């Protein structure tokens, strides 16, 4: 079941990334859209938690959840800024390597046992994620190297530490509803502060798009925590990193983009990697 929820997480994150791709270049604030999706997600968690019931809160839950939310928000912001300074075809595969950080932490810190076949599956999935997103024809653009690399490193650091903290939350058996409540609440506060600093113009369309992204985010992260609580984190993380599959296939169907042979091979090997991790 945890493999299914990990794939569901991948789909939700991929759909959100596809939405960001669709609205790119339309002069919408990434900070504002994230704020609205955090706000909507927070309200959804308030409603769900009120019905199901929250576990007792403590300082560790509040701080851990808020830090996870801030890291996710800042990681997304740094990633979008990296796209502004260099080609996406290089930026996406490099940032996707953040998965190595929580994978190694799960094996070294939390002592998860991973068989040789599962390690092969993990490596295949990571390699497939890079291959699917790589596009040699689009790497000719100018790279503002230092700001580009700076944003990439910050994004990798944010997403990598986020993965470790999510595994830590599961390891400490902190209720995922409480964590998500604090995550979205803390992230929303961080983003409203970011908005006050940047002083970007607010647009009504950001509310609608943010609401849609927020709904997918709640489903995605709820599934993410379930997978980490019940499954093997070292396998969950690379499966989630395959969210680029949704972006690639969505681009083919919606924007009539053509898939190159190596991308088709990447899709097939990614599926093969998921199969290997289940053996």
């Amino acid at each position: 079941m945890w493999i299914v929820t990990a794939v569901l997480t991948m789909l939700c994150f991929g759909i959100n990334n596809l939405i960001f791709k669709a609205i790119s270049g339309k002069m919408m604030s990434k900070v504002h859209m994230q704020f609205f999706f955090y706000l909507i997600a927070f309200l959804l968690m308030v409603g769900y938690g009120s019905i199901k019931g929250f576990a007792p809160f403590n300082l560790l839950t509040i701080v851990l959840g808020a830090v996870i939310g801030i890291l996710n928000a800042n990681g997304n912001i740094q990633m979008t800024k990296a796209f502004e300074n260099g080609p996406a075809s290089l930026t996406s595969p490099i940032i996707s390597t953040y998965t190595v950080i929580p994978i190694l932490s799960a094996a070294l810190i939390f002592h998860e046992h991973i068989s040789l076949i599962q390690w092969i599956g993990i490596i295949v999935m990571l390699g497939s994620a890079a291959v699917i997103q790589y596009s040699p024809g689009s790497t000719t653009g100018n790279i503002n190297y230092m700001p580009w690399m700076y944003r990439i490193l910050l994004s990798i650091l944010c997403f990598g530490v986020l993965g470790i903290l999510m595994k830590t939350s599961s390891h400490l058996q902190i209720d995922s509803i409480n964590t998500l409540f604090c995550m979205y609440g803390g992230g929303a506060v961080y983003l409203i502060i970011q908005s006050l600093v940047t002083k970007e113009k607010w647009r009504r369309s950001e509310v609608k798009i943010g609401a849609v992204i927020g709904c997918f985010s709640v489903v995605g992260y709820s599934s993410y925590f379930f997978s980490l609580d019940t499954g093997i984190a070292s396998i969950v993380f690379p499966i989630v990193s395959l969210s680029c599959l949704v972006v690639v296939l969505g681009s083919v169907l919606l924007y009539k983009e053509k898939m190159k042979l190596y991308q088709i091979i990447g899709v097939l090997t990614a599926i093969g990697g998921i199969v290997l991790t289940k053996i």
Side-chain angles (χ1 to χ4, degrees):
M1 184 62 182
W2 61 271
I3 288 282
V4 176
T5 52
V7 173
L8 179 59
T9 300
M10 174 196 73
L11 292 174
C12 289
F13 288 179
I15 291 172
N16 277 348
N17 290 338
L18 188 60
I19 292 173
F20 277 116
K21 175 183 174 67
I23 61 177
S24 62
K26 294 187 177 181
M27 302 301 292
M28 294 185 190
S29 170
K30 302 297 187 297
V31 173
H32 291 169
M33 278 187 296
Q34 285 197 84
F35 167 73
F36 284 119
F37 102 59
Y38 266 72
L39 179 61
I40 295 299
F42 175 74
L43 295 176
L44 288 173
M45 292 312 303
V46 169
Y48 182 72
S50 299
I51 295 172
K52 187 173 181 180
F54 288 102
F57 281 91
N58 55 48
L59 183 60
L60 178 61
T61 301
I62 296 171
V63 172
L64 192 60
V67 172
I68 289 173
I70 292 171
L71 285 171
N72 183 62
N74 194 55
N76 287 331
I77 291 172
Q78 299 304 325
M79 181 171 59
T80 56
K81 290 183 178 181
F83 285 138
E84 296 172 357
N85 289 285
S89 56
L90 290 178
T91 304
S92 294
I94 294 175
I95 291 179
S96 69
T97 61
Y98 83 85
T99 315
V100 174
I101 298 174
I103 287 175
L104 291 177
S105 74
L108 299 177
I109 300 176
F110 300 103
H111 307 294
E112 288 189 349
H113 174 70
I114 307 172
S115 68
L116 177 60
I117 292 179
Q118 289 175 328
W119 269 119
I120 294 174
I122 290 169
I123 294 171
V124 167
M125 283 188 288
L126 291 174
S128 298
V131 168
I132 291 164
Q133 298 176 82
Y134 179 66
S135 180
S138 62
T139 61
T140 56
N142 294 326
I143 299 177
N144 194 4
Y145 186 78
M146 290 305 295
W148 178 62
M149 185 54 63
Y150 171 70
R151 300 297 181 184
I152 284 178
L153 291 176
L154 282 179
S155 185
I156 290 174
L157 180 62
C158 287
F159 290 137
V161 175
L162 181 154
I164 295 175
L165 293 182
M166 287 186 65
K167 176 58 183 176
T168 301
S169 177
S170 298
H171 182 73
L172 296 175
Q173 297 183 333
I174 297 175
D175 191 280
S176 59
I177 298 177
N178 290 36
T179 304
L180 288 170
F181 174 86
C182 297
M183 168 187 166
Y184 289 122
V189 172
Y190 172 78
L191 288 164
I192 197 66
I193 294 173
Q194 283 287 313
S195 176
L196 293 174
V197 172
T198 56
K199 298 179 180 180
E200 294 178 298
K201 183 179 178 180
W202 294 81
R203 293 176 173 83
R204 184 175 299 178
S205 56
E206 294 166 351
V207 181
K208 298 177 182 178
I209 296 172
V212 173
I213 295 174
C215 292
F216 281 112
S217 179
V218 168
V219 176
Y221 270 103
S222 298
S223 302
Y224 208 166
F225 274 111
F226 178 84
S227 296
L228 292 175
D229 287 339
T230 59
I232 303 174
S234 305
I235 297 174
V236 172
F237 291 127
I239 290 176
V240 173
S241 73
L242 292 174
S243 58
C244 59
L245 283 172
V246 180
V247 179
V248 172
L249 296 176
S251 298
V252 172
L253 296 174
L254 298 177
Y255 304 107
K256 308 303 179 184
E257 294 182 3
K258 295 182 178 180
M259 291 183 66
K260 297 179 175 63
L261 178 59
Y262 66 82
Q263 289 178 315
I264 296 175
I265 294 174
V267 171
L268 296 176
T269 54
I271 296 172
I274 294 175
V275 173
L276 287 174
T277 59
K278 294 180 67 177
I279 297 177

